[in-house]
Short mmCIF file of all heavy atoms in Angstrom, two decimals:
data_model
loop_
_atom_site.label_atom_id
_atom_site.label_comp_id
_atom_site.label_asym_id
_atom_site.label_seq_id
_atom_site.Cartn_x
_atom_site.Cartn_y
_atom_site.Cartn_z
N GLY A 18 -115.60 -97.19 -25.92
CA GLY A 18 -116.65 -97.18 -24.91
C GLY A 18 -117.29 -98.55 -24.76
O GLY A 18 -118.50 -98.68 -24.54
N ALA A 19 -116.45 -99.61 -24.86
CA ALA A 19 -116.95 -100.99 -24.91
C ALA A 19 -117.67 -101.44 -23.64
O ALA A 19 -118.57 -102.28 -23.69
CB ALA A 19 -115.80 -101.94 -25.22
N THR A 20 -117.28 -100.88 -22.50
CA THR A 20 -117.86 -101.34 -21.23
C THR A 20 -119.13 -100.56 -20.86
O THR A 20 -119.73 -100.82 -19.83
CB THR A 20 -116.84 -101.19 -20.08
OG1 THR A 20 -116.31 -99.84 -20.14
CG2 THR A 20 -115.71 -102.17 -20.20
N GLY A 21 -119.53 -99.61 -21.72
CA GLY A 21 -120.72 -98.82 -21.42
C GLY A 21 -122.00 -99.48 -21.92
O GLY A 21 -121.99 -100.60 -22.43
N SER A 22 -123.09 -98.75 -21.75
CA SER A 22 -124.40 -99.27 -22.14
C SER A 22 -124.47 -99.52 -23.65
O SER A 22 -124.88 -100.61 -24.09
CB SER A 22 -125.46 -98.26 -21.67
OG SER A 22 -126.62 -98.39 -22.41
N ILE A 23 -124.05 -98.56 -24.45
CA ILE A 23 -124.05 -98.76 -25.91
C ILE A 23 -123.00 -99.80 -26.29
O ILE A 23 -123.24 -100.67 -27.13
CB ILE A 23 -123.75 -97.43 -26.65
CG1 ILE A 23 -124.88 -96.43 -26.42
CG2 ILE A 23 -123.50 -97.66 -28.13
CD1 ILE A 23 -126.16 -96.72 -27.14
N GLY A 24 -121.83 -99.74 -25.64
CA GLY A 24 -120.75 -100.68 -25.94
C GLY A 24 -121.20 -102.13 -25.76
O GLY A 24 -121.01 -102.97 -26.64
N PHE A 45 -111.88 -98.69 -23.41
CA PHE A 45 -112.73 -98.38 -22.25
C PHE A 45 -111.94 -97.48 -21.33
O PHE A 45 -110.78 -97.14 -21.61
CB PHE A 45 -113.21 -99.66 -21.55
CG PHE A 45 -112.10 -100.48 -20.91
CD1 PHE A 45 -111.84 -100.36 -19.55
CD2 PHE A 45 -111.33 -101.33 -21.67
CE1 PHE A 45 -110.82 -101.11 -18.96
CE2 PHE A 45 -110.30 -102.07 -21.09
CZ PHE A 45 -110.04 -101.95 -19.73
N GLY A 46 -112.53 -97.08 -20.20
CA GLY A 46 -111.86 -96.17 -19.27
C GLY A 46 -111.02 -96.94 -18.26
O GLY A 46 -109.85 -97.22 -18.49
N LYS A 47 -111.66 -97.31 -17.14
CA LYS A 47 -110.92 -97.97 -16.06
C LYS A 47 -111.56 -99.28 -15.60
O LYS A 47 -111.01 -99.98 -14.77
CB LYS A 47 -110.88 -97.03 -14.85
CG LYS A 47 -110.11 -95.76 -15.11
CD LYS A 47 -110.15 -94.87 -13.89
CE LYS A 47 -109.32 -93.63 -14.13
NZ LYS A 47 -109.42 -92.63 -13.12
N ASN A 48 -112.75 -99.55 -16.12
CA ASN A 48 -113.53 -100.66 -15.58
C ASN A 48 -113.03 -102.03 -16.07
O ASN A 48 -113.65 -102.69 -16.91
CB ASN A 48 -115.00 -100.46 -15.97
CG ASN A 48 -115.93 -101.31 -15.14
OD1 ASN A 48 -115.52 -102.33 -14.58
ND2 ASN A 48 -117.18 -100.91 -15.06
N GLN A 67 -107.78 -95.95 -20.28
CA GLN A 67 -107.63 -94.53 -19.99
C GLN A 67 -106.25 -94.17 -19.44
O GLN A 67 -105.66 -93.17 -19.81
CB GLN A 67 -108.72 -94.13 -18.99
CG GLN A 67 -108.92 -92.65 -18.86
CD GLN A 67 -110.13 -92.35 -17.97
OE1 GLN A 67 -111.06 -93.14 -17.89
NE2 GLN A 67 -110.09 -91.22 -17.29
N MET A 91 -106.71 -94.18 -28.56
CA MET A 91 -108.03 -94.23 -29.23
C MET A 91 -107.89 -93.82 -30.70
O MET A 91 -108.53 -94.41 -31.57
CB MET A 91 -109.03 -93.32 -28.51
CG MET A 91 -109.52 -93.90 -27.19
SD MET A 91 -111.09 -93.19 -26.66
CE MET A 91 -110.53 -91.78 -25.73
N ALA A 106 -118.60 -94.86 -28.95
CA ALA A 106 -119.61 -94.83 -27.87
C ALA A 106 -118.96 -94.49 -26.53
O ALA A 106 -119.40 -94.97 -25.49
CB ALA A 106 -120.36 -96.15 -27.78
N VAL A 107 -117.90 -93.67 -26.56
CA VAL A 107 -117.40 -93.18 -25.28
C VAL A 107 -118.36 -92.09 -24.82
O VAL A 107 -119.11 -91.52 -25.61
CB VAL A 107 -115.96 -92.60 -25.28
CG1 VAL A 107 -114.94 -93.66 -25.52
CG2 VAL A 107 -115.80 -91.46 -26.27
N MET A 108 -118.30 -91.79 -23.54
CA MET A 108 -119.15 -90.74 -23.00
C MET A 108 -118.34 -89.45 -22.95
O MET A 108 -117.25 -89.42 -22.38
CB MET A 108 -119.62 -91.16 -21.61
CG MET A 108 -120.76 -90.35 -21.07
SD MET A 108 -120.24 -88.76 -20.50
CE MET A 108 -119.41 -89.20 -18.98
N GLY A 109 -118.85 -88.40 -23.62
CA GLY A 109 -118.24 -87.09 -23.46
C GLY A 109 -117.35 -86.64 -24.61
O GLY A 109 -117.03 -87.41 -25.52
N ILE A 111 -114.39 -86.21 -24.84
CA ILE A 111 -113.11 -86.92 -24.94
C ILE A 111 -113.04 -87.74 -26.24
O ILE A 111 -111.96 -88.05 -26.75
CB ILE A 111 -112.94 -87.84 -23.70
CG1 ILE A 111 -111.58 -88.54 -23.66
CG2 ILE A 111 -114.00 -88.91 -23.59
CD1 ILE A 111 -110.63 -87.87 -22.73
N ALA A 129 -122.32 -92.71 -31.71
CA ALA A 129 -123.22 -92.61 -30.56
C ALA A 129 -122.81 -91.41 -29.71
O ALA A 129 -123.64 -90.79 -29.06
CB ALA A 129 -123.14 -93.88 -29.71
N ASN A 130 -121.52 -91.09 -29.74
CA ASN A 130 -120.89 -90.06 -28.91
C ASN A 130 -121.36 -88.65 -29.35
O ASN A 130 -120.65 -87.92 -30.01
CB ASN A 130 -119.36 -90.23 -29.09
CG ASN A 130 -118.55 -89.22 -28.31
OD1 ASN A 130 -117.59 -88.70 -28.82
ND2 ASN A 130 -118.92 -88.94 -27.07
N LYS A 131 -122.60 -88.30 -28.93
CA LYS A 131 -123.22 -87.06 -29.43
C LYS A 131 -122.47 -85.82 -28.99
O LYS A 131 -122.49 -84.80 -29.67
CB LYS A 131 -124.69 -87.00 -29.01
CG LYS A 131 -124.94 -86.91 -27.54
CD LYS A 131 -126.44 -87.00 -27.23
CE LYS A 131 -126.90 -88.44 -27.10
NZ LYS A 131 -128.29 -88.64 -26.82
N GLU A 132 -121.75 -85.91 -27.84
CA GLU A 132 -121.01 -84.73 -27.34
C GLU A 132 -119.99 -84.25 -28.37
O GLU A 132 -119.67 -83.06 -28.42
CB GLU A 132 -120.32 -85.06 -26.01
CG GLU A 132 -121.28 -85.36 -24.84
CD GLU A 132 -121.71 -86.82 -24.74
OE1 GLU A 132 -121.29 -87.62 -25.62
OE2 GLU A 132 -122.43 -87.17 -23.80
N ASP A 156 -127.71 -92.76 -32.19
CA ASP A 156 -128.79 -92.21 -31.38
C ASP A 156 -130.12 -92.57 -32.05
O ASP A 156 -130.26 -92.39 -33.27
CB ASP A 156 -128.61 -90.68 -31.31
CG ASP A 156 -129.00 -90.11 -29.97
OD1 ASP A 156 -129.66 -90.82 -29.20
OD2 ASP A 156 -128.63 -88.95 -29.69
N SER A 209 -132.74 -98.15 -20.63
CA SER A 209 -131.70 -98.42 -19.66
C SER A 209 -130.38 -97.94 -20.27
O SER A 209 -129.92 -98.49 -21.27
CB SER A 209 -131.66 -99.93 -19.38
OG SER A 209 -130.45 -100.26 -18.80
N MET A 210 -129.79 -96.89 -19.68
CA MET A 210 -128.63 -96.24 -20.32
C MET A 210 -127.57 -95.93 -19.28
O MET A 210 -127.77 -96.13 -18.09
CB MET A 210 -129.07 -94.93 -20.97
CG MET A 210 -130.29 -95.05 -21.84
SD MET A 210 -130.78 -93.49 -22.63
CE MET A 210 -131.57 -92.64 -21.27
N GLY A 211 -126.43 -95.36 -19.72
CA GLY A 211 -125.39 -94.92 -18.80
C GLY A 211 -125.90 -93.81 -17.90
O GLY A 211 -126.91 -93.16 -18.20
N ALA A 212 -125.17 -93.57 -16.78
CA ALA A 212 -125.65 -92.61 -15.77
C ALA A 212 -125.76 -91.19 -16.33
O ALA A 212 -126.76 -90.50 -16.10
CB ALA A 212 -124.71 -92.63 -14.57
N ILE A 214 -126.16 -89.92 -19.42
CA ILE A 214 -127.26 -89.67 -20.37
C ILE A 214 -128.63 -89.83 -19.67
O ILE A 214 -129.59 -89.17 -20.06
CB ILE A 214 -127.15 -90.56 -21.64
CG1 ILE A 214 -128.21 -90.15 -22.67
CG2 ILE A 214 -127.18 -92.01 -21.34
CD1 ILE A 214 -128.13 -90.88 -23.98
N MET A 272 -131.97 -100.07 -28.11
CA MET A 272 -130.85 -99.44 -28.81
C MET A 272 -130.14 -100.38 -29.78
O MET A 272 -129.38 -99.93 -30.64
CB MET A 272 -129.84 -98.88 -27.79
CG MET A 272 -130.28 -97.60 -27.11
SD MET A 272 -130.79 -96.29 -28.27
CE MET A 272 -129.28 -95.98 -29.16
P1 NDP B 6 -121.75 -95.25 -20.33
O1 NDP B 6 -121.46 -94.31 -19.24
O2 NDP B 6 -122.58 -96.44 -20.06
O3 NDP B 6 -120.38 -95.76 -20.97
C1 NDP B 6 -119.34 -94.87 -21.29
C2 NDP B 6 -118.17 -95.64 -21.89
O4 NDP B 6 -117.11 -94.72 -22.16
C3 NDP B 6 -117.59 -96.69 -20.93
O5 NDP B 6 -117.10 -97.77 -21.69
C4 NDP B 6 -116.42 -95.94 -20.29
O6 NDP B 6 -115.43 -96.80 -19.74
C5 NDP B 6 -115.92 -95.18 -21.49
N1 NDP B 6 -115.09 -94.04 -21.13
C6 NDP B 6 -115.42 -93.01 -20.31
N2 NDP B 6 -114.39 -92.15 -20.20
C7 NDP B 6 -113.38 -92.66 -20.95
C8 NDP B 6 -112.06 -92.24 -21.25
N3 NDP B 6 -111.55 -91.13 -20.71
N4 NDP B 6 -111.32 -93.00 -22.09
C9 NDP B 6 -111.82 -94.13 -22.64
N5 NDP B 6 -113.08 -94.57 -22.40
C10 NDP B 6 -113.83 -93.84 -21.57
O7 NDP B 6 -122.37 -94.38 -21.52
P2 NDP B 6 -123.48 -94.79 -22.59
O8 NDP B 6 -123.12 -96.08 -23.26
O9 NDP B 6 -124.82 -94.62 -22.02
O10 NDP B 6 -123.31 -93.60 -23.66
C11 NDP B 6 -122.18 -93.51 -24.51
C12 NDP B 6 -122.44 -92.44 -25.55
O11 NDP B 6 -123.56 -92.82 -26.35
C13 NDP B 6 -122.79 -91.06 -24.95
O12 NDP B 6 -122.28 -90.07 -25.78
C14 NDP B 6 -124.31 -91.05 -24.99
O13 NDP B 6 -124.84 -89.75 -25.07
C15 NDP B 6 -124.59 -91.83 -26.30
N6 NDP B 6 -125.90 -92.49 -26.35
C16 NDP B 6 -126.24 -93.44 -25.43
C17 NDP B 6 -127.48 -94.06 -25.47
C18 NDP B 6 -127.83 -95.14 -24.50
O14 NDP B 6 -128.88 -95.77 -24.67
N7 NDP B 6 -127.01 -95.45 -23.52
C19 NDP B 6 -128.48 -93.67 -26.46
C20 NDP B 6 -128.01 -92.70 -27.41
C21 NDP B 6 -126.77 -92.12 -27.34
P3 NDP B 6 -115.49 -97.28 -18.17
O15 NDP B 6 -116.66 -98.22 -18.09
O16 NDP B 6 -114.21 -97.96 -17.96
O17 NDP B 6 -115.70 -96.04 -17.37
#
Side-chain angles (χ1 to χ4, degrees):
T20 50
S22 157
I23 295 287
F45 65 98
K47 295 178 177 172
N48 197 337
Q67 195 173 332
M91 285 202 272
V107 291
M108 194 284 286
I111 185 101
N130 179 222
K131 65 186 86 180
E132 295 88 357
D156 216 344
S209 162
M210 311 181 283
I214 187 176
M272 285 308 297

